[in-house]
Amino acid sequence: MVTVEGTINASILRPAEARNRQNDGKPYISFPVSLFLANRKGDALQKEITINIDQDKVALQNLLPGKRVEVKGTAHFRKTGPNIYVNFSATEINLAPTSLLDKFSGQLYMIGKLGKVIMEKHDCHNNPMLLYSCRHTDVISDKEYEHLWVNLTQFKTAKPEWMVEKATIELIGVFEPSVHKTNGIPEISLSAIVDDCHPYAKPES
């Protein structure tokens, strides 16, 4: 599981559509936004993100292509091949945001397995810090899996004994989206500054 509780500020890409949820039939509005992302190397990406919001929160005619909006809610991520799809369930929408800069910020929550490399370093004040990655796995079929990786930085923390490859962990942190290239094709990269990380205790059934 990888989610982000946060805010997106971006421009509407195509006309919005009125739909009904499959589970309860409740009406909602769906529209894509185009979010600009870049990394320190200069790689850039216009990432399409699907926004879904209850129909009673906004009028369909107010959601025109090119209009800038700011939405608050929960982002869900799904990896298919080299592509990462982002669906954002909005609870609030601002049709006149004061900022004209694209933004995707919030708090990342994740349950997953640690990667192989866990680097122990020190910051400029000689405080211990950790650099590591964690993956969430979706089971597509008996023989097919998709791994969604998140790069993590944890400050003022020495490596605990339980932090080993393939350990299942639960964490929260400050979300920091970026861009990476696979075979020359840019895609969104998920990163976070970790606030809390601990072994995952599966709830008793």
Side-chain angles (χ1 to χ4, degrees):
M1 173 188 295
V2 182
T3 62
V4 171
E5 295 281 343
T7 301
I8 291 177
N9 186 327
S11 298
I12 298 175
L13 187 60
R14 292 188 298 275
E17 297 180 354
R19 300 177 180 176
N20 292 90
R21 301 190 194 282
Q22 293 183 349
N23 57 347
D24 58 10
K26 187 175 181 179
Y28 71 100
I29 292 174
S30 181
F31 59 95
V33 297
S34 180
L35 177 78
F36 177 79
L37 295 169
N39 62 20
R40 294 178 181 177
K41 297 179 181 179
D43 300 322
L45 168 69
Q46 289 290 154
K47 181 64 180 176
E48 180 174 326
I49 297 176
T50 300
I51 310 295
N52 298 314
I53 188 167
D54 288 346
Q55 202 172 74
D56 60 1
K57 297 289 181 66
V58 64
L60 186 65
Q61 61 267 28
N62 290 332
L63 301 173
L64 301 176
K67 183 176 181 58
R68 179 167 292 276
V69 296
E70 184 178 81
V71 290
K72 295 182 179 181
T74 305
H76 303 267
F77 303 87
R78 176 173 57 88
K79 188 173 185 297
T80 302
N83 303 312
I84 297 175
Y85 296 94
V86 187
N87 285 284
F88 193 90
S89 299
T91 55
E92 300 178 35
I93 184 166
N94 180 358
L95 298 174
T98 55
S99 175
L100 299 179
L101 297 177
D102 285 13
K103 179 180 72 170
F104 187 3
S105 61
Q107 185 178 68
L108 180 139
Y109 172 77
M110 180 178 189
I111 297 173
K113 290 187 179 294
L114 284 170
K116 183 177 182 179
V117 178
I118 303 170
M119 299 179 63
E120 299 179 80
K121 292 192 171 187
H122 288 81
D123 62 19
C124 59
H125 300 291
N126 205 36
N127 296 310
M129 61 180 290
L130 299 173
L131 300 174
Y132 55 101
S133 59
C134 184
R135 75 172 188 269
H136 168 72
T137 301
D138 282 321
V139 180
I140 309 302
S141 66
D142 291 342
K143 297 182 180 180
E144 187 179 2
Y145 304 89
E146 288 285 2
H147 302 298
L148 178 63
W149 287 91
V150 178
N151 298 314
L152 302 164
T153 302
Q154 191 167 0
F155 293 104
K156 295 184 178 180
T157 303
K159 181 182 175 184
E161 292 184 0
W162 56 262
M163 188 173 276
V164 295
E165 181 184 0
K166 296 183 179 181
T168 302
I169 64 171
E170 182 176 25
L171 65 89
I172 59 172
V174 179
F175 180 52
E176 293 191 340
S178 185
V179 177
H180 78 277
K181 282 188 174 181
T182 301
N183 298 323
I185 300 174
E187 183 53 281
I188 187 171
S189 174
L190 309 184
S191 302
I193 305 297
V194 177
D195 291 323
D196 180 66
C197 176
H198 51 263
Y200 175 65
K202 188 174 181 179
E204 296 182 4
S205 55

